[in-house]
Each structure stands twice: as structure tokens, then as C-alpha cells.
């Protein structure tokens, strides 16, 4: 019996094919390649990790990158790149943003329904299309502050991520009465930040929070470490999620207490495996080995994982997200949102996975939630975990503190290589160095310093000169170090003992001990010639204003003394009291004559009255005053010259004037004498430049530095106005003011005749000042402060022993002895800096020539005045003589024509000359004439008429 299959009814056939067709349609509607956009800065770590993560996720659907390298801080560049990727039909975008572009990106994403996944700093927003991979730090930071009981601290932040945290801190501070000092790091220059550190140290603000991105935080910690401060009292909280990504090698040496957060669990085997794959990724094409993943790179890797998981979930759910036709215009008004964008956003938000940064989960606003942060601290052996924080339990402390055990590493039994450089007086070859071997060939400050360090530490060493003769700098092209620093970095030497300046860039690659010599940039000029004292240098002890005041005081005191003597009655005195007493009897008898001779004739009575009037004038005393104007001037001058005078005031007022003038002259003369010796014996050197400000204010004297040295770099980077002005001049000077080496700069100073100043380290400046021909000098103070240190490679076992040896040598005073020996004891110019003459040598004629000039001038003036007095007096006397002779001749002629004859005239003339004319009126009218004309002149006692008989005059002679 054969069975036959019945045909399928035609009605059921479409029903059977419908599920198959639906499955095929649904399978073909989901794309196999998903275009993912990328917005990254050029050469960023996040972009390299983005490439690595896409290579790791090759599952279907495959993520195809569409990356634009843009400036994340430029709104125009970000807008153009975003619109370009949107027009290309990307399904989602991963990238970074800046505080200047974050609002623009959020606006585009919210309007066009395009998801943006970012590892950048989190912002407070309700935009669900922006998924923020980085957890927020407000709550963990607040929990840590409460755990440490901080109530007074400094919050340093950058404007990117710190503003939201600052707002939360200020709100909490208002509730709990905290004292918070906020500092915006974006507004500070390097010099301002260093000044801030000084202020914090002065105010004892030892609790500090630093909130900024990883690179900025690294530079800040290095800058703090470069100040070489003792940070054992400080406690830093680093508000950053990459505590173990920081390079705190130098910062750790200062002994601070540092706490921070770590997002990646580097001890997790899965994390270690991915980190190793990252190090091996494209390793053949790399010139330098990769560094391990940073926490921002781990966030980027987790972001790609979230995208891959979300699109796989969409594919499994058979949701159609294909973009058909034109993708749309991002700048359309009104905006045209993408219809499938909400499905992708929902898929991304619903992802749950365990990533490199722990548990990855988002809330409805696109923020990370249910995450855990490890809390770390810095110890002497490196970072270690002390606790953790999560949303459910807050901060949990898990640290178990153990006593610190110091680890001392023994030195290997071998000969260590000490690299150095020939630079007098630090390291020099002996004059007969060919006769010596090894370290004995060298001498100098650093040669003895190396020997002392080796003796204290206990190791054997060999001095070797650096091959290229350089101190050490990093080549900008090859990034390789040269000089002594390069020999330490690349293992060619073990220690560098030389005048090697401790700088930030060198400290990053090698270790320095404490400075064995402190110095700074100084100014070298040619020593100016000594100024010879002037002819009138004896006037220099007092200013010209004081001399003028003394002259006016002298004149004023003389005038006041003259006026006081005139007004005071005690300064007036009679001529001679003895003469008055002798004349009293004769006058009395003369007054009695009229009573006893009343019968005399009227003519006789008239003559007798005239004689009585003349006698009364004689009886009245004539008062004189010694202090005329000339005597007052002479008295004041004698007192000022400390010589006195033959007259002195009698009145109280005059003595007051004299007393205050004597006191005045005592102080003035004492002050003058005290300063006179210094001004006459010291030949001063007048320097045209005293400081850097003097150099900057003028252009007559050129100034420059060593070309390519640290001094030139100091001026180039300085933000101080004076140094900026000096750098502007040096950079544009023609001919160039820069020199190739120190010797060339010194020669230029010596040959420029004072028209060139050289800027160099103060120690070298002081050394050259003690070298012949002793014609240079250091002026002003140091422009900066730095130090020379002994250098060792990073992590060298010699660092701590050598550092302790330097400190011990400094405390013992040996470093100062070494400097005195090589700078001054072996100097060629003496302690006076080249002036071997005694400062208090004997005075020369040029010092006191003005005094001799005044003496000679005074003697000549006296002779001239004496001649003038003689001529003047002779002329006056001759004129009086002529008048007397003329009067006598006239009287003779008058007497000869009258009745009295010439005898009476002669008798009267002789009587008038010898007795003062007392009896010359006995001849009637002739007596009156004689008494009227001659007695007055005779009574005054003219010098030429004191003895009339001597003239030999008579009536016959006339």
C-alpha cells in the first residue's frame, strides 16, 4: 500500500512564509557597520586609547570610526566638526570638550538627539543625550573633609571642573562655619603661584585641596617641589581620579601628607591584561615605548565598551536605527531631531558592565552612579590604599598603620665615576698636572668638596671631565640630554660634583642634594676710576645749603647783637671818669667869678658866659658803645672761629645772643670736624650703575648675558617688569650683547671703558673681581636666588648619603672655609677688591690745597686793604691840613688890619692850640672871632694840630 502526501493548501502557504520574511527583513534592517564619530585633540592620549578600544571590539555590529582632530577649546572648530560628522550619518559621538565648548555641544546634542559619550570632566546638566563617563567628586570630597575634620583649608581649582565643586564646598562651609580660601589657578602665573606658596607658609595654611586636570596637577606638584620647602606640616588632598598616574617622586622627598582618589584598580588581573595589550598595541610603529593607561584613557576604553554593548543590545532587540537618505542639516531652523536618536540614547543609558573604571552605570541624566573610588595616600615607599568611598556606605577607612622602618642601602664595593667640568675656581688642572695621575691632576673648590664627601660617605671615586664640556640641557629636537646631566641620565656617571645649578627641568630627570653654595645673578662692571678730591673738598663735610645757612646766621647774629647793644643801656659807658674829677675844682672857681666881679664891663661878661658854656660841655660826659656794626661782625667771626675777641657784651641781652651763638658754633664745628677726616682721606669711586633698575633706565651702558645659559633663560621667562624691559633691550640690541662664554664677557667688560655690563652668577663675579688686573667689580644685589648642588641619577643609593654629607660639611663650616680659600685667600687683589693702598694714607697737597688758597687770598686781601686805608687816611689828613693853613692865613690877614695887631692873634692862636682856646676871647671882637673859629677845632684835638708851637707859626711868619 503506497502512501501519498497530500498537497499543502495554498491558503496556508503565505502564513508559513510570513515569519521567515519578517525575520529576513528585521535582520537586514540593522546595519552591520556602525559609524561612530570622534572629536579629539591632536595627539591626545584619549584618541590613542579610542583606536585601541575599537581594535579590541570587533564583534558584529562593527564600530567604524569617523574621527576629526580638533581644538576642543574652539567653538567654531567644534561646531564645524560636529556638523560634518552629523551629515555623514554617525550614530553616536565620543570625544572631549572644553569649558568653552561644553554648552555648545550640549545644545546640539539635545536639539538633534545625537548622543555624545565623553570622558571629560562632569558638568551639572539634565541633558540625557550627554553621557558622562567620569564620576563626580563632590560627595567623596565632602566625606573626606568630614573624616579629617577640616574646618580651615585652601581650595585651589581650575575653571574646568572646579566651579561645581567650589559651589558645593561654599554651601557646606556656610552651614558648618568653615573658613575656606579659594584660589583660581587659571589666573595665576608661575611667579604669582610661588608667591602664593610663600603667603600660605607665612599664614600657616597647611591644609590644601588641589582640583585640576592630570597634566596641570603634575606641573603644580613639581613647582611646589622645586621650592625645596619642608612640607611635613602640610596635608594635600588631590581632587583627581588618577592618584597613581601622578609623578610625585620629587614631591614625595619633601615629606608631605598627600591624600587622593584612584578610579582604576590596577591590581585587578583584567585591568592588568588590558593594560599590557595597550602597551603592545602598534608597538612596532612607535619610536618611544608607550606609557601605561591613565584614568582618562580607561574612561575612553569603557566608553567604547558601552557603545559596543548598546548597539549589540539594539541588534538583539531588532530595533531599526538605520539612517536613510539625507542625514539632515544640523544648523536647520527649527532643528530637525533624528528620530532614532532617542532609541540609541535609551540603549546607552541602560548599559550595565564591569569596566576598567569599575562598575559602569548611568542615571536618567547621563551621570555615573553606583561607582566606587579608592582613597589613596602617599607614603615613603609610594602610594597605598587607605580606604574607599561608594554611594551606599560613604567613606570607609581600611588603613592599618605600621611604624615606618628606614631602609638603608649599602654602597657597592666599586669605584664610582664623578663627572665634572673645568671651571675656575671650582675645577682646574694643576700647573704641572702632567706629573700627576688620577684625581691628583685636579685642584679647586669642587675637587676638595668631592674628596670630603667621599671621606664622609666612604666610597672610592674617580674624577672624569664631561665629554662635551657642557653642564646639561635637553635638546628640543631629539629630546636627549647632554653634558653632565646627560651622563647621569644615561648611566655614564654616578655623581656630578660641579657648579651645577638646581633647576626644575633637571630635577625632573636627576636628583640633587641640598645646595652646597647659594648664589644669584649679579652685575659685573668695569671698576670706575677714583675721584680725586676737589680744591675746596674741605667744604664737603657740610652741604652747600648748610654753608649758606651759616653765612646768613652769622650776619643775622651780628645784626641782632648790634641792635641789642644799641637798645640796652648797660652797653653805653662814659669816656674817662678820672678826667672829669680833675676838672671839677677849676669849673667851680670859674662859676664863682661872676659874683665876685660884678663890676666888670659888659664885654668881659659876654666872653665869660661863652667860656662857662664851653666848660659845661666839657663837664658833661660823652657815652660810647663798643658794639658798632663792625665790632659786632668781628665778635661773631671770632666766636665762630673759636678764637674769641677783645670785647664782650655787658648786658644780659647781649650775653644771651653771645651764648646761643657760641652753642651754635660748638655743634657746627664739632660736626664739621667729625666728617672732615673721612672726606679728606677717602677717595671715593663713583659707580654709574648701582642696581638692575639703573641698567634698565638707561641705554648708554650696554649689558648682556651668556648666550644659551640659565641667566639668559631667566630673563626670557621672567614676568617682572624690570627684567622684561631688560630682556627686550638685550634681545633687540645691535650689535649683540650676548657672549659665547664667560671669559669673552669678562674681556668685553674690561675693554669697553665702562660701556658694557655683564650679567653672571654672583660666585663667578666675586672670583673674577679677585683676579688681576683687578679692574672689575660687582654692583648691586643678586637678581634671583638659586644654588649649586651635587647631582645623582634618579633612585641612586648615593643620594641620601651624599646629601647628609653636604649638610654635615655645611654645619661644620667647611664649605665656607673652602670658598674663602679659593676666592679670597688665593686672590690676587687683596681684601679691598684690587685697592692695595691703605684707605687711611697720608693727605696729599690736593686734599688741602683749598686751605692754602684761602690763606694766600686772605693775606693778599689784607695788604690791599691796608694800602687803601693808608691812601684814604693820607688824603683826609692832607685835606684837613690845607683847611687849617687856609684858616690861619685868613685870620692873620683879618688881625693885621685891625687895632689889636698881630701879637694878639699869634697869642690867641698859640693859646688856642695849646690850651684849647680858653683865654682867646680877651681881645673884644677879635677874641670872638678866634673863639668862634678855632677853639672848637683845637678842643677836638686834631692830630695835625696837637702842638701848635711845633708848626712855628707867628705873625711875622704868616
Amino acid at each position: 500500500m503506497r502512501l501519498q502526501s497530500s498537497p499543502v493548501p495554498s491558503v496556508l502557504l503565505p502564513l508559513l512564509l510570513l515569519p521567515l520574511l519578517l525575520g529576513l527583513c528585521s535582520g537586514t534592517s540593522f546595519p552591520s557597520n556602525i559609524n561612530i564619530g570622534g572629536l579629539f585633540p591632536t595627539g591626545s592620549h584619549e584618541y590613542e586609547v579610542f583606536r585601541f578600544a575599537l581594535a579590541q571590539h570587533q564583534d558584529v555590529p562593527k564600530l567604524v570610526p569617523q574621527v576629526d582632530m580638533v581644538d576642543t577649546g574652539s567653538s567654531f572648530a567644534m561646531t564645524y566638526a560636529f556638523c560634518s560628522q552629523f551629515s555623514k550619518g554617525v550614530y553616536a559621538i565620543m570625544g572631549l570638550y572644553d569649558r568653552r565648548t561644553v554648552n555648545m555641544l550640549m545644545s546640539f546634542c539635545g536639539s538633534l538627539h545625537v548622543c555624545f559619550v565623553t570622558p571629560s570632566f562632569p558638568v551639572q546638566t539634565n541633558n540625557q543625550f550627554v553621557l558622562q563617563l567620569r564620576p563626580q567628586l563632590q560627595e567623596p570630597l565632602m566625606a573626606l573633609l568630614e573624616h579629617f575634620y577640616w574646618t580651615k583649608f585652601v581650595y585651589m581649582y581650575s575653571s574646568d571642573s572646579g566651579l561645581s565643586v567650589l559651589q558645593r564646598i561654599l554651601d557646606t562651609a556656610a552651614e558648618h562655619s568653615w573658613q575656606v580660601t579659594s584660589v583660581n589657578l587659571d589666573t595665576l602665573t608661575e611667579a604669582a603661584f610661588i608667591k602664593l606658596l610663600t603667603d600660605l607658609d607665612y599664614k600657616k595654611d597647611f591644609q590644601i585641596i588641589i582640583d585640576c586636570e592630570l597634566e596641570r596637577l603634575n606641573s603644580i606638584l613639581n613647582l611646589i617641589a622645586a621650592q625645596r620647602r619642608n612640607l611635613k606640616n602640610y596635608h594635600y588632598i588631590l581632587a583627581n581620579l588618577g592618584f597613581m598616574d601622578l609623578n610625585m617622586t620629587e614631591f614625595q622627598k619633601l615629606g608631605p601628607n598627600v591624600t587622593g582618589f584612584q578610579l582604576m584598580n590596577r591590581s585587578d588581573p583584567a585591568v592588568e591584561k588590558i593594560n599590557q595589550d595597550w602597551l603592545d598595541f602598534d608597538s612596532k610603529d612607535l619610536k618611544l615605548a608607550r606609557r601605561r593607561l591613565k584614568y582618562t584613557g580607561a574612561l575612553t576604553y569603557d566608553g567604547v565598551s558601552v557603545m559596543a554593548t548598546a548597539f549589540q543590545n539594539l541588534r538583539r532587540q531588532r530595533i531599526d536605527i538605520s539612517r536613510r537618505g539625507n542625514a539632515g542639516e544640523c544648523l536647520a531652523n527649527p532643528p530637525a531631531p533624528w528620530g532614532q536618536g532617542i532609541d540609541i540614547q535609551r540603549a546607552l543609558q541602560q548599559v550595565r558592565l564591569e569596566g576598567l573604571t569599575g562598575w559602569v552605570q548611568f542615571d536618567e541624566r547621563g551621570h555615573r552612579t553606583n561607582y566606587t573610588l579608592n582613597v589613596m595616600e602617599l607614603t615613603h615607599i609610594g602610594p597605598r590604599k587607605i580606604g574607599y568611598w561608594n554611594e551606599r556606605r560613604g567613606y570607609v577607612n581600611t588603613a592599618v598603620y605600621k611604624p615606618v622602618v628606614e631602609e638603608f642601602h649599602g654602597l657597592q664595593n666599586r669605584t664610582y665615576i664623578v663627572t665634572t667640568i673645568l671651571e675656575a675656581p671650582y675645577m682646574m688642572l694643576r700647573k704641572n698636572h702632567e706629573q700627576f695621575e688620577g684625581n691628583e691632576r685636579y685642584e679647586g673648590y669642587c675637587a676638595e668638596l668631592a674628596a670630603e664627601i667621599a671621606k664622609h660617605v666612604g666610597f672610592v671615586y674617580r674624577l672624569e671631565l664631561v665629554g662635551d664640556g657642557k653642564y646639561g640641557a635637553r635638546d628640543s629636537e631629539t629630546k636627549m640630554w647632554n653634558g653632565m646631566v646627560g651622563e647621569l641620565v644615561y648611566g655614564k656617571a654616578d655623581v656630578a660634583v660641579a657648579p651645577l645649578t638646581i633647576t626644575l627641568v633637571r630635577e625632573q630627570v636627576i636628583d640633587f642634594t641640598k645646595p652646597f653654595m647659594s648664589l644669584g645673578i649679579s652685575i659685573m662692571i668695569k671698576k670706575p676710576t677714583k675721584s680725586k678730591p676737589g680744591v675746596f673738598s674741605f667744604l664737603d663735610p657740610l652741604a652747600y645749603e648748610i654753608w649758606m645757612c651759616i653765612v646768613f646766621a652769622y650776619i643775622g647774629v651780628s645784626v641782632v647783637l648790634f641792635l641789642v647793644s644799641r637798645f640796652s643801656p648797660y652797653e653805653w659807658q662814659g669816656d674817662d671818669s678820672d678826667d672829669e674829677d680833675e676838672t671839677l675844682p677849676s669849673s667851680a672857681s670859674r662859676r664863682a667869678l661872676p659874683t665876685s666881679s660884678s663890676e666888670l664891663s659888659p664885654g668881659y661878661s659876654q666872653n665869660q658866659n661863652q667860656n662857662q658854656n664851653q666848660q659845661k660841655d666839657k663837664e658833661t660826659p660823652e657815652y660810647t658803645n663798643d658794639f658798632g656794626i663792625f665790632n659786632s661782625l668781628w665778635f661773631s667771626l671770632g666766636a665762630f672761629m673759636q678764637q674769641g675777641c677783645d670785647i664782650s657784651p655787658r648786658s644780659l641781652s647781649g650775653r644771651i645772643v653771645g651764648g646761643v651763638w657760641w652753642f651754635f658754633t660748638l655743634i657746627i664745628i664739632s660736626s664739621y670736624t667729625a666728617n672732615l677726616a673721612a672726606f679728606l682721606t677717602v677717595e671715593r669711586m663713583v659707580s654709574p650703575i648701582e642696581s638692575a633698575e639703573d641698567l634698565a633706565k638707561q641705554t648708554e651702558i650696554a649689558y648682556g648675558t651668556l648666550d644659551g645659559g640659565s641667566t639668559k633663560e631667566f630673563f626670557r621667562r621672567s614676568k617682572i617688569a624690570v627684567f622684561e624691559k631688560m630682556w627686550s633691550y638685550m634681545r633687540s640690541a645691535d650689535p649683540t650683547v650676548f657672549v659665547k662664554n664667560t671669559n669673552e664677557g669678562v674681556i668685553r667688560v674690561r675693554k669697553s671703558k665702562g660701556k658694557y655690563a655683564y650679567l653672571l652668577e654672583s660666585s663667578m663675579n666675586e672670583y673674577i673681581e679677585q683676579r688681576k688686573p683687578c679692574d672689575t667689580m660687582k654692583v648691586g644685589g643678586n637678581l634671583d636666588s638659586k644654588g649649586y648642588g651635587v647631582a645623582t641619577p634618579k633612585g641612586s643609593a648615593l643620594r641620601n648619603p651624599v646629601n647628609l654629607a653636604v649638610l654635615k660639611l655645611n654645619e661644620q663650616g667647611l664649605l665656607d672655609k673652602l670658598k674663602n680659600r679659593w676666592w679670597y685667600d688665593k686672590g690676587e687683589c687683596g681684601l679691598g677688591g684690587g685697592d692695595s693702598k691703605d684707605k687711611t694714607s697720608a693727605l696729599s697737597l690736593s686734599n688741602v690745597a683749598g686751605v692754602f688758597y684761602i690763606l694766600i687770598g686772605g693775606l693778599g686781601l689784607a695788604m690791599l686793604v691796608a694800602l687803601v686805608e693808608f691812601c684814604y687816611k693820607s688824603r683826609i689828613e692832607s685835606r684837613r691840613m690845607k683847611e687849617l693853613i687856609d684858616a690861619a692865613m685868613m685870620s692873620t690877614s683879618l688881625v693885621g688890619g685891625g687895632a689889636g695887631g698881630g701879637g694878639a692873634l699869634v697869642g690867641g692862636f698859640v693859646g688856642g692850640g695849646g690850651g684849647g682856646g680858653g683865654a682867646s676871647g680877651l681881645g673884644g671882637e677879635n677874641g670872638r672871632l678866634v673863639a668862634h673859629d678855632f677853639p672848637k677845632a683845637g678842643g677836638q684835638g686834631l692830630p695835625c694840630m696837637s702842638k701848635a708851637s711845633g708848626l712855628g707859626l707867628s705873625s711875622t711868619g704868616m
Side-chain angles (χ1 to χ4, degrees):
M1 181 177 174
R2 187 174 59 182
L3 297 175
Q4 296 181 351
S5 60
S6 59
V8 179
S10 58
V11 179
L12 299 176
L13 185 59
L15 297 176
L16 295 175
L17 295 175
L18 182 59
L20 181 61
L21 293 174
L22 291 175
L24 291 175
C25 292
S26 63
T28 57
S29 64
F30 198 91
S32 58
N33 292 333
I34 302 296
N35 292 331
I36 299 298
L39 300 176
F40 296 98
T42 303
S44 63
H45 174 70
E46 291 78 13
Y47 169 67
E48 296 296 330
V49 177
F50 180 68
R51 290 178 51 246
F52 166 69
L54 290 177
Q56 296 292 314
H57 294 83
Q58 295 293 334
D59 299 336
V60 179
K62 182 179 181 181
L63 303 181
V64 180
Q66 301 286 338
V67 179
D68 285 329
M69 311 305 292
V70 296
D71 179 10
T72 57
S74 173
S75 297
F76 176 80
M78 290 289 286
T79 301
Y80 182 82
F82 184 90
C83 291
S84 174
Q85 294 192 359
F86 181 74
S87 62
K88 293 177 183 178
V90 296
Y91 290 86
I93 299 176
M94 170 169 280
L96 304 176
Y97 52 66
D98 187 81
R99 60 185 175 86
R100 292 162 291 186
T101 57
V102 58
N103 294 327
M104 179 272 297
L105 278 175
M106 289 185 179
S107 178
F108 274 119
C109 294
S111 300
L112 301 177
H113 290 188
V114 177
C115 292
F116 188 80
V117 183
T118 177
S120 293
F121 58 88
V123 293
Q124 297 292 338
T125 179
N126 293 324
N127 192 334
Q128 57 186 347
F129 291 95
V130 178
L131 274 73
Q132 303 179 26
L133 295 166
R134 189 186 302 188
Q136 295 186 344
L137 268 178
Q138 287 94 326
E139 296 302 328
L141 185 58
M142 291 298 107
L144 212 55
L145 292 176
E146 293 178 1
H147 173 75
F148 289 124
Y149 299 102
W150 281 20
T151 58
K152 179 183 179 181
F153 55 89
V154 178
Y155 178 64
M156 302 181 182
Y157 67 96
S158 65
S159 301
D160 291 335
S161 58
L163 293 177
S164 59
V165 180
L166 175 63
Q167 186 61 47
R168 177 61 190 278
I169 289 177
L170 294 179
D171 293 341
T172 308
E175 297 176 1
H176 297 83
S177 300
W178 290 353
Q179 298 181 25
V180 181
T181 303
S182 61
V183 178
N184 189 347
L185 296 173
D186 295 337
T187 61
L188 294 181
T189 61
E190 180 175 325
F193 184 76
I194 294 175
K195 184 179 183 301
L196 173 65
L197 295 179
T198 305
D199 294 340
L200 294 180
D201 191 66
Y202 177 76
K203 297 177 181 178
K204 300 188 182 302
D205 288 333
F206 296 143
Q207 297 175 336
I208 301 173
I209 302 173
I210 305 179
D211 184 0
C212 56
E213 294 298 317
L214 202 60
E215 291 76 12
R216 181 74 176 276
L217 186 56
N218 258 325
S219 64
I220 289 175
L221 296 181
N222 289 332
L223 188 58
I224 296 175
Q227 305 308 307
R228 318 291 299 180
R229 300 177 183 273
N230 184 3
L231 303 180
K232 291 185 178 181
N233 295 326
Y234 283 82
H235 188 180
Y236 293 89
I237 294 180
L238 307 181
N240 190 281
L241 297 176
F243 189 83
M244 299 183 69
D245 297 332
L246 295 169
N247 180 16
M248 293 185 286
T249 305
E250 296 302 319
F251 190 69
Q252 176 183 352
K253 297 174 184 178
L254 304 178
N257 186 11
V258 185
T259 307
F261 301 95
Q262 178 65 26
L263 184 59
M264 291 179 61
N265 185 9
R266 296 189 179 276
S267 61
D268 188 351
V271 175
E272 285 294 329
K273 180 179 182 304
I274 295 177
N275 187 55
Q276 187 60 44
D277 294 340
W278 155 253
L279 296 177
D280 298 336
F281 178 66
D282 287 347
S283 59
K284 296 181 180 180
D285 300 333
L286 295 177
K287 296 181 181 179
L288 297 176
R290 291 185 183 276
R291 295 184 178 181
R292 61 183 183 178
L293 275 172
K294 300 178 182 178
Y295 85 96
T296 54
L299 290 172
T300 305
Y301 187 92
D302 287 348
V304 175
S305 301
V306 169
M307 283 187 172
T309 303
F311 285 110
Q312 289 173 7
N313 292 338
L314 289 173
R315 187 174 185 274
R316 282 195 298 269
Q317 295 172 10
R318 301 175 180 178
I319 297 177
D320 183 13
I321 60 170
S322 60
R323 303 186 67 172
R324 301 181 181 87
N326 188 8
E329 177 61 42
C330 70
L331 299 178
N333 190 14
W338 178 35
Q340 289 77 18
I342 191 67
D343 296 327
I344 296 178
Q345 182 273 332
R346 189 178 296 111
L348 290 171
Q349 184 179 335
Q350 293 175 356
V351 170
R352 307 286 189 274
L353 58 85
E354 186 70 29
L356 297 181
T357 59
W359 183 250
V360 179
Q361 181 180 347
F362 302 96
D363 59 15
E364 64 279 358
R365 298 179 300 167
H367 296 170
R368 283 282 293 268
T369 184
N370 292 334
Y371 56 90
T372 299
L373 297 178
N374 290 328
V375 180
M376 313 290 291
E377 78 169 2
L378 185 64
T379 65
H380 67 285
I381 58 175
R384 74 175 185 127
K385 180 180 177 180
I386 61 171
Y388 64 90
W389 180 93
N390 57 34
E391 294 181 356
R392 185 171 60 89
R393 301 184 59 184
Y395 174 67
V396 178
N397 187 25
T398 61
V400 177
Y401 292 95
K402 297 180 180 179
V404 178
V405 179
E406 297 288 345
E407 297 182 0
F408 296 96
H409 303 279
L411 300 177
Q412 298 180 5
N413 187 18
R414 67 180 182 89
T415 301
Y416 289 87
I417 305 300
V418 177
T419 181
T420 186
I421 189 172
L422 289 178
E423 184 75 58
Y426 299 98
M427 188 67 66
M428 301 175 289
L429 288 171
R430 295 180 182 270
K431 294 181 179 180
N432 52 349
H433 61 90
E434 298 87 357
Q435 303 177 5
F436 297 93
E437 294 181 355
N439 300 338
E440 298 297 325
R441 295 175 298 164
Y442 304 99
E443 65 176 357
Y445 179 92
C446 288
E448 296 190 16
L449 177 62
E452 291 292 337
I453 292 175
K455 183 174 68 175
H456 281 76
V457 176
F459 66 90
V460 182
Y461 71 98
R462 183 175 72 252
L463 288 173
E464 289 190 2
L465 298 178
V466 61
D468 56 6
K470 297 181 178 179
Y471 288 92
R474 190 176 185 180
D475 190 89
S476 58
E477 297 180 357
T478 62
K479 307 299 182 184
M480 301 290 288
W481 285 88
N482 59 20
M484 291 180 288
V485 177
E487 293 193 353
L488 293 176
V489 171
Y490 304 120
K492 298 180 181 179
D494 301 297
V495 186
V497 182
L500 191 62
T501 306
I502 302 173
T503 62
L504 174 62
V505 291
R506 291 172 179 170
E507 189 77 37
Q508 292 175 346
V509 294
I510 58 176
D511 289 335
F512 280 100
T513 64
K514 295 293 187 290
F516 62 81
M517 182 180 293
S518 297
L519 63 149
I521 298 174
S522 63
I523 304 173
M524 173 192 290
I525 64 171
K526 184 175 177 61
K527 188 174 295 183
T529 57
K530 294 180 180 179
S531 61
K532 294 292 183 181
V535 174
F536 297 101
S537 60
F538 63 89
L539 297 176
D540 293 340
L542 299 180
Y544 290 108
E545 296 84 357
I546 298 180
W547 287 116
M548 295 302 298
C549 291
I550 290 175
V551 171
F552 288 127
Y554 164 69
I555 296 175
V557 168
S558 301
V559 172
V560 171
L561 183 60
F562 170 72
L563 295 177
V564 166
S565 300
R566 286 293 167 183
F567 286 114
S568 175
Y570 299 102
E571 294 292 348
W572 295 90
Q573 58 182 344
D575 281 342
D576 193 354
S577 58
D578 295 336
D579 295 338
E580 293 175 358
D581 294 338
E582 292 175 356
T583 58
L584 284 176
S586 61
S587 61
S589 63
R590 289 192 184 102
R591 284 195 298 268
L593 286 177
T595 1
S596 60
S597 307
S598 57
E599 299 177 354
L600 291 178
S601 63
Y604 178 80
S605 299
Q606 183 178 0
N607 292 334
Q608 187 66 28
N609 291 335
Q610 291 179 355
N611 293 334
Q612 289 179 358
N613 292 333
Q614 294 175 2
Q615 189 66 30
K616 289 180 180 178
D617 293 338
K618 286 188 176 182
E619 291 176 358
T620 303
E622 184 179 352
Y623 289 94
T624 61
N625 193 326
D626 292 337
F627 284 94
I629 186 63
F630 292 106
N631 280 349
S632 299
L633 291 170
W634 178 249
F635 173 82
S636 300
L637 182 62
F640 184 76
M641 295 298 180
Q642 307 282 295
Q643 299 302 318
C645 185
D646 55 350
I647 60 174
S648 59
R650 297 181 178 183
S651 65
L652 179 60
S653 57
R655 291 178 178 180
I656 291 175
V657 175
V660 296
W661 176 244
W662 290 340
F663 176 78
F664 172 82
T665 56
L666 173 67
I667 301 301
I668 292 296
I669 296 301
S670 301
S671 303
Y672 173 82
T673 306
N675 285 340
L676 182 61
F679 278 86
L680 291 183
T681 58
V682 177
E683 296 180 351
R684 291 171 293 173
M685 292 186 297
V686 180
S687 175
I689 297 298
E690 295 293 343
S691 63
E693 289 77 7
D694 294 342
L695 277 178
K697 288 187 293 186
Q698 57 82 46
T699 56
E700 181 181 357
I701 300 177
Y703 49 91
T705 68
L706 181 67
D707 192 9
S710 59
T711 304
K712 180 180 178 182
E713 193 69 14
F714 165 79
F715 283 100
R716 188 179 68 84
R717 293 185 177 183
S718 178
K719 300 300 181 183
I720 301 176
V722 175
F723 299 152
E724 285 182 334
K725 185 176 181 180
M726 295 177 66
W727 170 247
S728 177
Y729 164 79
M730 290 188 288
R731 182 178 53 185
S732 59
D734 187 24
T736 179
V737 294
F738 299 109
V739 295
K740 296 180 180 179
N741 52 60
T742 300
N743 189 40
E744 179 183 341
V746 175
I747 294 175
R748 187 168 178 179
V749 169
R750 286 172 172 167
K751 293 184 177 180
S752 63
K753 298 181 179 179
K755 299 301 181 182
Y756 181 78
Y758 184 50
L759 301 164
L760 74 167
E761 282 80 5
S762 58
S763 57
M764 184 59 64
N765 195 350
E766 294 167 357
Y767 175 74
I768 295 173
E769 187 177 353
Q770 296 296 322
R771 302 291 102 185
K772 290 183 177 179
C774 308
D775 57 353
T776 64
M777 64 180 293
K778 173 188 173 185
V779 294
N782 295 340
L783 308 187
D784 67 342
S785 178
K786 52 189 175 183
Y788 291 152
V790 179
T792 58
K794 282 285 186 183
S796 173
L798 284 172
R799 181 188 180 276
N800 287 333
V802 171
N803 189 33
L804 294 175
V806 171
L807 291 175
K808 187 175 182 180
L809 292 175
N810 186 32
E811 292 177 357
Q812 292 176 348
L814 186 60
L815 298 181
D816 293 332
K817 291 182 180 179
L818 287 179
K819 184 172 182 180
N820 289 331
R821 178 186 306 169
W822 289 100
W823 264 257
Y824 304 107
D825 296 347
K826 294 180 179 291
E828 301 172 349
C829 302
L831 296 178
D835 187 9
S836 59
K837 296 182 179 179
D838 191 359
K839 296 289 184 179
T840 58
S841 57
L843 294 178
S844 63
L845 181 61
S846 61
N847 295 102
V848 293
V851 181
F852 287 93
Y853 292 155
I854 290 179
L855 175 62
I856 296 172
L859 296 177
L861 180 62
M863 296 295 294
L864 180 62
V865 171
L867 180 60
V868 172
E869 286 179 344
F870 175 76
C871 295
Y872 176 77
K873 197 67 175 177
S874 299
R875 185 176 180 183
I876 294 299
E877 294 297 332
S878 63
R879 183 180 300 173
R880 289 181 180 178
M881 180 67 70
K882 183 178 180 181
E883 290 177 354
L884 290 174
I885 293 173
D886 291 343
M889 293 178 64
M890 185 181 297
S891 300
T892 303
S893 62
L894 290 175
V895 171
L905 173 62
V906 173
F909 183 76
V910 173
S920 62
L922 300 177
E925 185 65 29
N926 292 335
R928 286 197 297 273
L929 288 172
V930 174
H932 180 73
D933 292 334
F934 295 100
K936 187 175 183 180
Q940 291 178 351
L942 292 173
C944 58
M945 299 296 291
S946 59
K947 293 183 180 179
S949 60
L951 294 176
L953 296 178
S954 64
S955 59
T956 58
M958 296 298 287

